[in-house]
Amino acid sequence: MTMNGQPGVRYSGVAMLLHWAIAIAVIVNWRLAEAAHEGPREAGASLMATHKALGMTILALTLLRLAWRLVHKTPPLSARLKGWERMLARVTHVTFYVLLIALPLGGWIASSLNGRPVDFFGLFAIPVLPTGLDKDLGKTIFEAHHTGGSIMIYLIALHVIGALKHTFWDKDGNLWRMLPFGTPRA
């Protein structure tokens, strides 16, 4: 049973917590990267260090979310969704997971290719991967990482637009499946 007494309509509390923690972390991390590139060099280095540490946190939370998802069944998509909505939902979620894993790994690989470990919020250093030094390849991967980050932001916008559509246009209660309040519908 879910919080509203209906079986399988709402995500579990752990899934909700991980969803919102990852969502907030991704948006904060995007803003950190933007600020690092826009501001003075010294401030940018500090912001980028935080960006990298938060990226590794996002990777860990995503792996935890995937493990949770493998063990705990997710609620089925609403029977009210049209075929194209079902397909778009599936493609969007798969793409989210790919990016949530690939972006931090790409950043870690690129940092490793530059011989730089990831400082994890001053607590410890995540060591470089055994990639050897190749600054040109590192630069190429950082550029792909930036492009992937832009795709992530567009995907978030699509996700938010979809949630708003379901809430205010369709009025189907779909948004409430990922919140501990409101009335989700099957």
Side-chain angles (χ1 to χ4, degrees), residues 2-143:
T2 59
M3 289 182 217
N4 66 346
Q6 298 176 18
V9 174
R10 187 171 292 202
Y11 282 86
S12 70
V14 171
M16 287 182 213
L17 178 65
L18 290 169
H19 172 273
W20 291 107
I22 291 167
I24 292 165
V26 165
I27 291 167
V28 168
N29 222 23
W30 165 59
R31 290 305 307 141
L32 284 168
E34 292 292 315
H37 291 295
E38 294 168 1
R41 186 167 167 77
E42 286 178 14
S46 175
L47 291 170
M48 195 50 69
T50 304
H51 170 81
K52 290 177 182 183
L54 188 54
M56 298 307 282
T57 303
I58 291 166
L59 176 61
L61 289 172
T62 300
L63 294 175
L64 184 60
R65 174 118 192 254
L66 283 170
W68 182 265
R69 189 175 174 135
L70 287 173
V71 177
H72 298 84
K73 187 176 176 170
T74 60
L77 292 173
S78 172
R80 300 174 190 188
L81 295 179
K82 297 174 182 74
W84 69 267
E85 290 173 311
R86 290 175 168 282
M87 178 61 81
L88 186 58
R90 287 188 179 106
V91 168
T92 299
H93 282 99
V94 168
T95 306
F96 267 133
Y97 282 117
V98 167
L99 289 171
L100 288 167
I101 293 169
L103 286 170
L105 284 179
W108 188 15
I109 291 167
S111 290
S112 296
L113 287 163
N114 284 288
R116 288 183 259 160
V118 176
D119 174 23
F120 193 76
F121 301 111
L123 300 172
F124 57 87
I126 299 172
V128 298
L129 295 167
T131 59
L133 292 176
D134 188 338
K135 292 187 179 204
D136 290 335
L137 181 56
K139 181 180 177 185
T140 300
I141 293 173
F142 274 134
E143 289 169 357

Side-chain angles (χ1 to χ4, degrees), residues 2-11 16 75 78 80 171-186:
T2 59
M3 289 182 217
N4 66 346
Q6 298 176 18
V9 174
R10 187 171 292 202
Y11 282 86
M16 287 182 213
S78 172
R80 300 174 190 188
K171 297 182 182 181
D172 62 10
N174 233 6
L175 174 65
W176 311 123
R177 293 162 32 103
M178 192 49 83
L179 291 168
F181 51 84
T183 305
R185 297 183 195 128

